[in-house]
Amino acid sequence: QVQLVESGGGSVQTGGSLRLSCAASGSTLAYYAIGWFRQAPGKEREWITSIIKSNGAAYYADSVRGRFTVSRDNVGKTVLLQMDRLTPEDTAIYYCAMVWGNPGIVVPMLTEDYDYWGQGTQVTVSS
C-alpha cells in the first residue's frame, strides 16, 4: 500500500507564491511517476504536472507552465510543487497522486492513469 500526504496549502494574494509538498510512504520503490492535480468548485479535476521518478523528467499543463515547478528528492519520496505568480484562477484543492509500476504511459495525465491519491490541500488566491 501507498500513502500520500500533501501539505503547504494556504491563502495568498495574487502574485504570491506557495510551495506544496507530497510525502509518499509505504510501497514506493516501484512507482513510475507522481502527478499533481487540482479541482476548483464546480469543475472537474485537472492535471497540472507530472514528474517521472527514474529520470526526473517533468511535464506541465499549459495553464501552469512557466509559473509552477515540480521537483523530487533523490529517493523520490518527497515531491515539491513550487507555485509562483499565483492568480485567483489557481484557487482549488490540490492533490498529488502516484502511478505505480510500469504503466506503459510516457506522460500520465488522466485521473485513471493514477493508482493512489492524497487527501488534498486547499490553495486560495485572493485578488
Side-chain angles (χ1 to χ4, degrees):
Q1 280 293 334
V2 170
Q3 295 79 42
L4 300 173
V5 179
E6 304 96 336
S7 61
S11 298
V12 66
Q13 291 188 327
T14 295
S17 298
L18 284 173
R19 187 172 71 173
L20 305 184
S21 177
C22 175
S25 61
S27 302
T28 61
L29 191 63
Y31 81 84
Y32 173 72
I34 285 182
W36 287 92
F37 289 73
R38 66 186 181 187
Q39 189 165 18
K43 295 188 176 181
E44 293 188 353
R45 195 164 295 191
E46 172 193 17
W47 171 78
I48 56 176
T49 184
S50 297
I51 186 164
I52 310 305
K53 181 185 180 185
S54 60
N55 60 11
Y59 303 89
Y60 299 93
D62 289 343
S63 58
V64 305
R65 185 177 293 113
R67 300 187 300 123
F68 290 13
T69 304
V70 65
S71 62
R72 58 160 172 68
D73 65 6
N74 287 339
V75 296
K77 289 203 169 187
T78 300
V79 171
L80 301 177
L81 181 64
Q82 178 67 39
M83 307 187 296
D84 298 319
R85 305 202 310 271
L86 287 162
T87 74
E89 287 69 38
D90 296 313
T91 295
I93 299 175
Y94 284 69
Y95 300 89
C96 68
M98 176 184 286
V99 180
W100 205 88
N102 185 1
I105 304 168
V106 175
V107 185
M109 294 189 292
L110 305 177
T111 55
E112 52 262 40
D113 292 336
Y114 288 80
D115 302 292
Y116 300 98
W117 292 81
Q119 292 300 306
T121 186
Q122 176 71 48
V123 170
T124 302
V125 185
S126 59
S127 57

